[in-house]
Amino acid sequence: MFLSVFDIFKIGIGPSSSHTIGPMVAAERFLDHLRAQPFKVAGVSARLHGSLAFTGAGHATDRAVMLGLAGITVAGYDAEAAEAELARLRAERTLHPGGLAPLRFDPGSDLVFDYGPPLPAHANGLVLRGHDAQGDVVVEQTYYSIGGGFVRTAEELAAGPAPDHGPAVPYPFASAKEMLRMAAESGMSIAAMKRANERVRRPRTDLDGDIRRIWRVMSDCIDRGLEAEGTLPGGLGVRRRAAAIHASLRAERGGNMAAPHLVTDWISAYAMAVNEENAAGGQVVTAPTNGAAGVVPAVMRYWLDHVPGASREQVPEFLLTAAAIGGLIKENASISGAECGCQAEVGSAAAMAAAGLAAVLGGTPAQVENAAEIALEHHLGMTCDPVAGLVQVPCIERNGMGAVKAVAAASLALRGDGAHLVPLDVAIETMRQTGRDMSDKYKETSQGGLAVNLPNC
């Protein structure tokens, strides 16, 4: 299946692509489903299952579902309007989505966190129901939020991979092995092949302009995070740290005694800035998820601001390369923390960032693939254990460490000729198997690891 750079990098809101953006998209799809029904629906209800139940409150899943059912979309999200709509809904207990009659919805009773067994097809499941005037269920749909803001119905998942109805692309690589073979045969870079594929699917759009807009949103997010101070919402009392770290680094810049390793603090500060914004519910770009949204932007900012010779003209090359790697991981394993743990989120992001950096630093396709493999291999087995179900601890610092690893991986790969023992495809398959075997308590349910060993106070 073809995955666009704009499927991997989607502009959205925090704190979670699978627990916030996905449920909003599911609710939006459910409203369209209701509009297509021949009968009148008088009310709706929602039931959250699996990881959406266990960590839904910390990830604002309930809020996302209510906003989605109210007709507010991710693309059209406005924070002030959203808060006003939630206040009105709690007071009136009625939804007013466009194209439908008013719908009864009591947030206290019509949205249920079900802590029983997860639904069968995926850890992130929700069931949305439409009721008649007597309260009887007249329509029901099950949705799964499968990571990165992607949503599938139960029927769509049961049918297997989504059909690809678009025109054939010239470089349809479904594995890293195929990608390297096509690059060798064509003499093209990974970014150039990805660009050619995108051109077929988006012939009338300003591809580079749209990609640069993705970077502007990422960069703006870094800037906001480097200025914002205070305490993050959610009850843990986690203080924003990126602004203070950034101020300290700026004060030390140019000093004769500055240690070379301080560059890693710059990288971490950029990543933490993004994920503090994400934790606060701000605008971020899935890269490939919200929980890992800081890694790729941090590496890009490091490259642009700290590496001699870096050019903003190469931003599309970085993101196209990263998207190619992200697509391979998503299609052959997972980018969902609820499915494979944090190896699927920060691990995937680090692989993408390492590949993008290696590409813009002049790496060959083989070196780019090697960079991605190094970064992913050294995140294998990483669990997802957010304290109190919030995308804060250990997630914010973990993005900083993922970004640092990505830079190290690209550097190591560029010191070689691209030949290496473990192919990227093997690392991806190993991640898939590890995620399959990993206990559910370590997969975004907050039932293991730091989430239970650190008191939630």
Side-chain angles (χ1 to χ4, degrees), residues 10 17-18 122 124 145-151 288-289 330 335-337:
K10 296 190 287 289
S17 49
S18 59
H122 194 278
N124 291 333
S145 180
I146 61 174
F150 292 90
V151 173
T289 66
K330 182 185 183 304
I335 58 171
S336 169

Side-chain angles (χ1 to χ4, degrees), residues 18-20 22-24 26-27 45-66 69 105 107 109-119 122-129 141-145:
S18 59
H19 289 62
T20 312
M24 278 188 75
S45 64
R47 198 170 192 93
L48 308 177
H49 295 264
S51 179
L52 294 186
F54 284 106
T55 63
H59 287 72
T61 306
D62 48 350
R63 182 177 183 273
V65 171
M66 289 188 287
L69 290 174
F105 184 86
S109 59
D110 289 325
L111 198 156
V112 177
F113 291 80
D114 189 325
Y115 300 109
L119 297 178
H122 194 278
N124 291 333
L126 67 157
V127 179
L128 300 177
R129 296 182 174 96
Q141 277 279 22
T142 297
Y143 297 93
Y144 292 99
S145 180

